[in-house]
């Protein structure tokens, strides 16, 4: 049985330190740390961004950072602590963000992930994301990225938007 005892909500400024540490340990492992607490705090305070957190009864279990633009959104980061994975937290965060995009009239969500991260790729594909191109050396000139997109509107509708 899947444990669904978590709640989603907007991050508070006081969450920035923990989110930075999670990014360093779970997302940026092996790279120079770029999503430090100060950068995450700016995203928390940015009206064109959402920093979403998932709390269990015990801990901050996951987070996602998304920037909203005119017709598209960019998922900058998504992380779930290893002990909390496969409990629906990542999926719930993506669905929450998708609904926010739909309300805002956003046509699609874009993201990049390490090209060798097959688990993440399968996760995003299971939620409707499609693989795009590989970008050589995207991460600090060291690691290739795979781009992915999830169209929330039909692609022909998206191309007609201003």
């Amino acid at each position: 049985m899947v444990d669904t005892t978590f709640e989603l909500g907007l991050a508070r400024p006081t969450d920035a330190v923990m989110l930075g540490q999670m990014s360093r340990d779970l997302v940026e492992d092996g790279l120079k740390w770029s999503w430090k607490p100060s950068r995450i705090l700016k995203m928390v305070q940015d009206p064109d961004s959402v920093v979403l957190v998932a709390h269990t009864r015990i801990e901050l279990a996951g987070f996602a950072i998304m920037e909203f633009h005119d017709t598209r959104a960019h998922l900058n980061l998504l992380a779930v602590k290893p002990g909390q994975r496969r409990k629906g937290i990542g999926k719930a965060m993506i669905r929450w963000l998708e609904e926010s995009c739909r309300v805002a009239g956003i046509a699609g969500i874009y993201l990049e992930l390490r090209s060798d991260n097959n688990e993440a790729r399968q996760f995003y594909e299971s939620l409707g994301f499609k693989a795009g191109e590989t970008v050589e050396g995207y991460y600090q000139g060291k690691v290739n990225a795979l781009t992915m997109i999830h169209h929330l509107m039909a692609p022909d509708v998206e191309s007609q938007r201003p």
Side-chain angles (χ1 to χ4, degrees), residues 29-50:
D29 185 41
L31 299 171
K32 182 181 175 194
W33 188 22
S34 67
W35 283 94
K36 295 181 179 182
S38 60
R39 185 175 181 192
I40 292 175
L41 179 59
K42 287 179 185 174
M43 299 301 284
V44 169
Q45 296 169 335
D46 182 347
D48 294 324
S49 298
V50 166

Side-chain angles (χ1 to χ4, degrees), residues 37-156:
S38 60
R39 185 175 181 192
I40 292 175
L41 179 59
K42 287 179 185 174
M43 299 301 284
V44 169
Q45 296 169 335
D46 182 347
D48 294 324
S49 298
V50 166
V51 181
L52 184 65
V53 293
H55 285 276
T56 67
R57 286 178 261 165
I58 300 168
E59 65 181 339
L60 195 155
F63 75 98
I65 299 176
M66 180 176 279
E67 289 181 83
F68 293 85
H69 304 284
D70 289 339
T71 62
R72 65 170 74 181
H74 183 252
L75 182 62
N76 292 317
L77 292 174
L78 184 139
V80 176
K81 288 185 175 177
Q84 296 296 334
R85 292 181 184 160
R86 302 197 184 283
K87 296 181 179 181
I89 293 171
K91 180 178 180 179
M93 288 191 295
I94 292 291
R95 295 299 186 222
W96 191 100
L97 291 167
E98 286 174 346
E99 184 58 27
S100 296
C101 287
R102 286 186 180 93
V103 168
I106 299 292
I109 300 171
Y110 297 78
L111 61 87
E112 300 83 24
L113 59 100
R114 292 180 193 221
S115 62
D116 63 353
N117 189 340
N118 293 322
E119 185 178 359
R121 180 179 179 166
Q122 290 172 359
F123 167 74
Y124 289 116
E125 286 177 340
S126 76
L127 297 174
F129 285 79
K130 303 292 183 207
E133 62 186 33
T134 297
V135 182
E136 301 289 324
Y138 180 84
Y139 296 105
Q140 301 169 6
K142 296 180 181 180
V143 180
N144 298 340
L146 174 67
T147 63
M148 298 191 83
I149 182 171
H150 180 42
H151 293 284
L152 301 174
M153 297 181 187
D156 60 322

